[in-house]
Amino acid sequence: MQFNPYSVIIKNTYNIIGCIALFGYLQIQKSELKVCEYDSYKAVYCGLCKQLGKDYSFLTRLILSYDCTFYAMLLMSVSRTCTGFVRKRCTCNPFKKCNFARCKSDSYNKATAFTVISAYYKIKDDIADGNFLKKLRSYLVLPFFSHWRKKAVKKYGYTELDSLVSNMLSMQLEDENSDTSNIDTSAHPTALMLAKLFESEAKTENDKRVYYEFGYNIGRWIYLIDAADDLQKDLKNNNFNPFVRANRADYNYIQAVLNQSLARAFYAYNLMNITDFKGILDNMLLLGFPAMQNKVVSKLKTEVEND
């Protein structure tokens, strides 16, 4: 069998890029969704997958996350821009047919741009803070993501998105190096980024306040649940973790802090004009996110008790 170096490069690139995960905490509770709702959710996910391949590269489909699916679905809901569904061949498996949600706005484009921009800056962060293997992996894929990020900014004009993510990482680094860092200041950069991201979608001053509040608390929850998920690993590797820095690495306290952020996010969500996909979005806020939180906190509790 003849050796094909090109196929080896492609295979390894797939494996490496597939490791560049974002968060993935904004998930549905599948068992509680109606069949038609689950089909709609998959149709939005498949629509994003198709858009990623179209706008950037077939490789970027590997970094599609549940978080960006939630973002796209929420944008399509408040703007009422979903125009139905179309059944076509899967972009990854031509032998399979699936539904794609159609959208007449730029919701897909924003979500895919946010995906590649966030992934690029995550790789930059891994290079700065990661171990040798993580640095090596990040250096290998950096040229790909640098190209896709430039495409999102220069070709598609998502300069503000890029600035939001870049400023968030700068603020995060400054906080981690500060002697006055605490849980609130550590969560603030991610919370502020999503607050401004959602605020930009509002049409009225009242909606701006509501969207800002929703984005801020969802961002705070995402940052803190990620910190809780990595707590034991950060302790082992002596990495920065806001709960460790504040001497509050207690799962009961962490559960309470996460509950507070999620409750405030849901309060703001109830004030938003949610129309399309409401059943799915309700499922995520009321069931999916709490289930993910319980999973993370339960894992942390088990790890602590087994130490």
Side-chain angles (χ1 to χ4, degrees):
M1 183 176 181
Q2 188 175 6
F3 175 71
N4 186 343
Y6 180 75
S7 65
V8 173
I9 291 172
I10 292 294
K11 182 179 179 181
N12 287 330
T13 302
Y14 261 111
N15 291 336
I16 294 169
I17 290 180
C19 293
I20 310 298
L22 298 179
F23 291 104
Y25 297 114
L26 305 184
Q27 297 190 23
I28 56 171
Q29 183 76 344
K30 181 181 174 181
S31 61
E32 297 298 326
L33 278 178
K34 298 177 182 177
V35 173
C36 62
E37 290 174 335
Y38 182 60
D39 287 343
S40 296
Y41 180 81
K42 287 196 300 181
V44 174
Y45 188 90
C46 290
L48 279 171
C49 178
K50 182 179 180 181
Q51 194 71 44
L52 271 169
K54 179 183 176 182
D55 288 350
Y56 302 100
S57 165
F58 67 96
L59 290 172
T60 58
R61 291 176 176 142
L62 295 171
I63 59 168
L64 177 57
S65 69
Y66 296 117
D67 300 345
C68 284
T69 306
F70 172 75
Y71 176 46
M73 187 172 286
L74 191 66
L75 293 184
M76 292 165 68
S77 179
V78 296
S79 60
R80 304 208 69 176
T81 52
C82 179
T83 58
F85 305 90
V86 60
R87 191 166 182 80
K88 293 183 178 180
R89 294 199 179 276
C90 174
T91 53
C92 297
N93 182 2
F95 298 103
K96 175 185 175 184
K97 282 193 173 183
C98 55
N99 290 326
F100 294 87
R102 294 182 297 186
C103 180
K104 64 182 179 181
S105 69
D106 62 348
S107 299
Y108 279 156
N109 305 87
K110 284 181 180 177
T112 54
F114 187 54
T115 297
V116 297
I117 289 171
S118 298
Y120 166 77
Y121 283 107
K122 182 181 185 301
I123 291 169
K124 296 282 285 185
D125 186 56
D126 287 344
I127 289 174
D129 299 330
N131 55 35
F132 174 76
L133 289 177
K134 184 177 284 189
K135 287 177 186 287
L136 180 61
R137 182 194 70 192
S138 299
Y139 273 118
L140 287 173
V141 298
L142 182 61
F144 294 97
F145 284 91
S146 178
H147 170 70
W148 297 328
R149 174 247 173 190
K150 287 178 182 177
K151 198 172 182 180
V153 174
K154 295 182 178 180
K155 182 176 180 178
Y156 299 122
Y158 289 105
T159 308
E160 290 187 15
L161 260 180
D162 184 70
S163 296
L164 281 176
V165 181
S166 176
N167 292 339
M168 179 272 290
L169 285 177
S170 296
M171 291 173 64
Q172 198 70 64
L173 182 62
E174 183 179 347
D175 178 78
E176 290 177 9
N177 293 325
S178 171
D179 293 333
T180 59
S181 173
N182 56 54
I183 291 171
D184 290 332
T185 61
S186 295
H188 179 69
T190 302
L192 182 64
M193 176 189 70
L194 288 184
K196 291 185 175 181
L197 184 68
F198 282 106
E199 183 187 44
S200 66
E201 301 298 325
K203 305 300 181 185
T204 67
E205 288 301 317
N206 185 61
D207 282 347
K208 283 184 179 181
R209 291 193 293 271
V210 172
Y211 286 29
Y212 183 98
E213 182 73 8
F214 174 76
Y216 191 92
N217 285 288
I218 282 292
R220 176 182 167 86
W221 183 80
I222 290 173
Y223 176 83
L224 293 177
I225 195 173
D226 186 56
D229 204 8
D230 291 341
L231 197 150
Q232 291 299 310
K233 182 177 69 175
D234 290 338
L235 276 172
K236 181 180 178 180
N237 298 326
N238 198 29
N239 292 334
F240 175 86
N241 188 290
F243 294 114
V244 177
R245 174 71 66 89
N247 292 318
R248 299 305 301 262
D250 172 72
Y251 53 83
N252 289 318
Y253 174 79
I254 291 172
Q255 181 84 291
V257 170
L258 291 171
N259 282 341
Q260 181 189 48
S261 295
L262 204 53
R264 296 190 66 171
F266 184 69
Y267 178 78
Y269 168 80
N270 281 329
L271 299 176
M272 298 169 71
N273 185 28
I274 302 298
T275 53
D276 302 337
F277 308 118
K278 188 177 189 310
I280 305 171
L281 294 169
D282 285 354
N283 172 282
M284 297 176 85
L285 266 294
L286 289 171
L287 300 172
F289 301 176
M292 179 58 66
Q293 177 179 312
N294 290 336
K295 179 181 177 181
V296 169
V297 175
S298 295
K299 185 195 79 168
L300 177 61
K301 181 179 179 181
T302 301
E303 290 172 342
V304 170
E305 291 175 347
N306 290 340
D307 278 350

